[in-house]
Amino acid sequence: MAERPTDEEILRAVRRIHELEERHDRLAARVTELRVPADEAELAERNRAGDQMAKVAETLVIESIQALEEIGMVMAAQAVEAMAAAEGIPMDSGIPPHEEPPLF
């Protein structure tokens, strides 16, 4: 049987996920602010923010799987991985583990 994760390991894994969720929320808020762009520059910014939001969402799924595995919740990780596969989320996004894409 594998060793149980320490509280510190659990906290570290949860913080990574929480930070990605906050980043996704900030991007979503910006996309919402620019829902009706005033000009081409705002439209371009909305598109960039939307693209980054999608990348962060994919990273969030991948990081969630890794975090669940790290803290010993293998079946939960497998369930998230199955959901991701059903949604067409690539498990190899080209983003190294624990590294988020640039904001812009």
Side-chain angles (χ1 to χ4, degrees):
M1 182 173 191
E3 266 187 49
R4 297 184 82 157
T6 65
D7 290 347
E8 184 177 296
E9 290 168 329
I10 294 169
L11 184 58
R12 192 172 30 249
V14 170
R15 279 188 176 151
R16 278 197 330 263
I17 302 307
H18 181 68
E19 289 168 6
L20 283 168
E21 287 178 338
E22 286 181 333
R23 183 181 175 92
H24 184 270
D25 289 348
R26 287 191 305 271
L27 288 164
R30 187 62 183 147
V31 168
T32 299
E33 288 172 11
L34 297 169
R35 185 174 49 91
V36 180
D39 56 28
E40 290 295 317
E42 282 190 0
L43 176 62
E45 182 181 352
R46 184 187 72 189
N47 290 341
R48 281 191 305 273
D51 289 345
Q52 286 300 313
M53 189 175 74
K55 289 176 185 175
V56 170
E58 286 184 3
T59 302
L60 183 55
V61 170
I62 294 165
E63 287 284 342
S64 294
I65 293 166
Q66 292 172 352
L68 288 166
E69 289 172 347
E70 287 172 15
I71 63 175
M73 299 183 71
V74 177
M75 291 184 73
Q78 290 171 345
V80 175
E81 193 167 355
M83 178 276 310
E87 293 293 323
I89 297 172
M91 289 296 101
D92 183 16
S93 64
I95 299 169
H98 316 306
E99 183 179 313
E100 57 186 60
L103 186 54
F104 288 103

